Amino acid sequence: MAVVKPFCAVRPQENLASKIAALPYDVYNRKEAKEETEKNPYSFLKIDRPETQFPDDTDMYAPEVYKQARRIFWKMMEDGDFLQDVDPNFYLYELTRNGHVQTGIVACASIDDYLNGVIKKHENTRVEKELDRIRHVDVLEAQTGPIFLAYRANADFKHLMDVKKKDFPIFDFVSEDGIRHRGWMIYESAMIHKIEKTFQAMDSIYIADGHHRAASAIKAGLKRRRENPNYTGREPFNYFLCTLFADEELEILDYNRVVKDLNGYSAEEFLEKIRERFTVSEPGTEAVSPREKGEFGMYLEDRWYKLKIKEEYRATDVVDGLDVALLQNNLLEPVLGIREPAKDPRIDFIGGIRGLGELEKRVQTDCKAAFSMYPTSMAELFAVADAGKLMPPKSTWFEPKLRSGLFIHRI
């Protein structure tokens, strides 16, 4: 049974939503984040990345940096840039990219559901990345970046969304990257009850993206529980901000790989090693975008090759059968010696949103070879999570990214 609750959102005034909304904090490096806040003084990055308001040599994890986030947030509240809803509501958040539309329910999920496995994950998290967001949530006393959750498609929700979208939206704008963002408030008691009851009937919901934000929100909530031993479970810190999407509406893009060297092999020797476990096409100049599972594109010395895993090296295990695992276990590790891709500086990862031209560019500048991937599917993600297993690093790239600052949950 999944516990999903309405909440009293802090959200931008309608005329400022487009200026305040920002991509997730971890999309930018420090320099890019600072440039963004200088270009747009309303950007929520001022709050999500408060080090942008300090000299470049300031320790971004210093206590005064987090306090600055709190000061900016409350100043914007006092100035009327944000408004606070009085009654608990659900919200809809629709994103449209290149004609593809996906609509999520903005809500609060239970930290206990995360702890007891109703909310399932498919990635490990790193403690050092968690600590920053734990401090941010704790000092700000608010969750600012919604966790991207997925559920198996439900016809009742689809009908409810179609009805609600006939109302006037609380925001409607197109961001610089061409994505349209629209939102609606669900305040009707019958709809709220319907949403709660429908989620209660679900055995599982899944983290699609935002594992570190989720782990940080849970640990910040547990910290509050320790500080308030008489907590009832109804306090806001027992829940975390999320947006829940039907699996059938979500798009996972390819998450491609580039490598810095060929582990001492010449290009011809490298190709011979690959042929032990893959069939290799004749080289060509046209970029290869894989059309099916078990197929890979490779860019090497200004030529593209199509690789196809040989049948005897395919795997039926939910993790080892993933394309990212097939490449790792049959090429990256045995041929190139890349055993820990999350830590090895010889490999880099490029989201499919950047296109195959970015792979060619990297090979022509600082890399030796690139691999284009067939995207992981939502069914594969669910299967791994249901099995209680973890995907290899950099298995999924979701687009479009949810904007921060459009819905804030005070704890």
Side-chain angles (χ1 to χ4, degrees):
M1 183 180 84
V3 178
V4 174
K5 294 288 187 186
F7 69 109
C8 303
V10 173
R11 52 190 179 86
Q13 294 285 359
E14 183 183 356
N15 64 318
L16 293 178
S18 62
K19 296 179 179 179
I20 289 174
L23 284 164
Y25 75 98
D26 51 0
V27 168
Y28 301 92
N29 62 34
R30 185 167 183 167
K31 180 175 181 290
E32 291 167 341
K34 188 159 192 173
E35 289 172 352
E36 185 66 23
T37 59
E38 288 173 347
K39 181 177 70 175
N40 174 16
Y42 282 101
S43 173
F44 199 77
L45 275 178
K46 289 195 307 182
I47 295 169
D48 259 356
R49 296 287 296 270
E51 75 275 11
T52 58
Q53 309 305 297
F54 291 83
D56 292 343
D57 59 355
T58 303
D59 178 4
M60 64 186 291
Y61 304 119
E64 60 267 23
V65 173
Y66 297 99
K67 290 177 183 175
Q68 178 70 357
R70 182 184 177 90
R71 281 192 290 270
I72 296 171
F73 175 59
W74 281 106
K75 179 68 165 58
M76 293 181 75
M77 288 284 288
E78 291 167 2
D79 290 348
D81 298 336
F82 289 107
L83 58 87
Q84 167 83 66
D85 286 331
V86 176
D87 298 314
N89 308 295
F90 286 117
Y91 305 84
L92 293 185
Y93 181 13
E94 177 196 84
L95 302 98
T96 303
R97 173 182 171 271
N98 295 337
H100 173 83
V101 181
Q102 62 188 56
T103 307
I105 298 171
V106 185
C108 280
S110 166
I111 67 173
D112 290 311
D113 281 352
Y114 179 93
L115 297 171
N116 64 27
V118 171
I119 297 174
K120 296 181 177 180
K121 62 182 182 178
H122 65 267
E123 283 183 10
N124 265 332
T125 55
R126 301 205 308 271
V127 172
E128 66 271 19
K129 287 189 70 174
E130 293 175 11
L131 289 175
D132 167 48
R133 288 300 103 176
I134 292 171
R135 296 187 193 110
H136 191 272
V137 170
D138 197 41
V139 174
L140 196 63
E141 295 188 292
Q143 298 155 354
T144 61
I147 313 306
F148 192 154
L149 301 183
Y151 59 89
R152 289 184 171 86
N154 180 282
D156 289 340
F157 280 162
K158 181 71 168 64
H159 175 71
L160 182 150
M161 290 176 184
D162 290 342
V163 171
K164 175 48 64 173
K165 285 185 183 182
K166 294 176 183 177
D167 287 357
F168 195 79
I170 55 176
F171 59 80
D172 184 350
F173 64 91
V174 177
S175 50
E176 287 184 354
D177 53 5
I179 296 168
R180 187 181 185 186
H181 305 260
R182 294 200 295 169
W184 293 265
M185 180 191 297
I186 300 176
Y187 54 84
E188 299 89 344
S189 58
M191 283 190 175
I192 289 174
H193 180 71
K194 179 68 174 177
I195 293 171
E196 289 182 305
K197 295 295 287 184
T198 303
F199 277 118
Q200 285 173 12
M202 295 184 185
D203 294 328
S204 305
I205 51 181
Y206 302 80
I207 299 178
D209 201 9
H211 282 76
H212 282 93
R213 290 194 296 276
S216 301
I218 273 66
K219 290 182 178 179
L222 293 176
K223 178 177 181 290
R224 293 295 174 103
R225 286 184 172 183
R226 291 192 298 270
E227 294 168 349
N228 298 273
N230 296 320
Y231 75 91
T232 66
R234 294 188 297 272
E235 298 86 355
F237 59 72
N238 293 288
Y239 299 88
F240 63 93
L241 179 65
C242 64
T243 306
L244 303 108
F245 292 89
D247 58 343
E248 65 182 15
E249 291 194 359
L250 297 178
E251 264 190 323
I252 303 180
L253 302 187
D254 42 311
Y255 212 156
N256 303 311
R257 277 83 169 124
V258 291
V259 294
K260 306 293 179 67
D261 63 64
L262 300 184
N263 201 26
Y265 294 112
S266 68
E268 190 51 47
E269 290 170 335
F270 183 52
L271 283 165
E272 282 304 308
K273 293 296 291 183
I274 292 173
R275 288 189 180 102
E276 293 176 6
R277 301 192 186 190
F278 297 81
T279 59
V280 181
S281 72
E282 291 298 314
T285 57
E286 185 176 347
V288 175
S289 179
R291 301 297 183 186
E292 60 183 20
K293 275 185 62 60
E295 190 174 284
F296 308 84
M298 181 177 71
Y299 188 63
L300 174 71
E301 293 195 332
D302 299 326
R303 291 291 184 270
W304 279 95
Y305 299 81
K306 182 187 292 183
L307 314 182
K308 193 164 185 176
I309 188 79
K310 294 180 178 179
E311 285 299 320
E312 60 265 36
Y313 294 105
R314 289 181 181 269
T316 57
D317 179 80
V318 291
V319 175
D320 289 341
L322 297 171
D323 277 29
V324 289
L326 292 175
L327 186 72
Q328 174 63 32
N329 297 338
N330 293 285
L331 196 159
L332 297 180
E333 181 172 350
V335 180
L336 294 178
I338 297 172
R339 293 175 177 81
E340 295 186 79
K343 299 178 181 178
D344 198 317
R346 298 168 55 222
I347 188 170
D348 201 0
F349 305 88
I350 300 174
I353 191 70
R354 301 180 71 91
L356 299 185
E358 181 68 15
L359 301 186
E360 295 180 352
K361 177 182 174 184
R362 288 294 301 272
V363 172
Q364 291 161 4
T365 53
D366 65 334
C367 293
K368 288 293 185 180
F371 301 92
S372 57
M373 309 293 297
Y374 187 73
T376 303
S377 70
M378 286 300 300
E380 289 175 319
L381 186 155
F382 281 4
V384 171
D386 284 338
K389 296 186 176 184
L390 302 173
M391 286 188 173
K394 312 296 185 183
S395 293
T396 57
W397 181 281
F398 284 92
E399 285 289 342
K401 302 293 185 187
L402 308 184
R403 265 34 177 199
S404 295
L406 292 173
F407 301 98
I408 300 165
H409 175 229
R410 291 175 59 190
I411 63 169

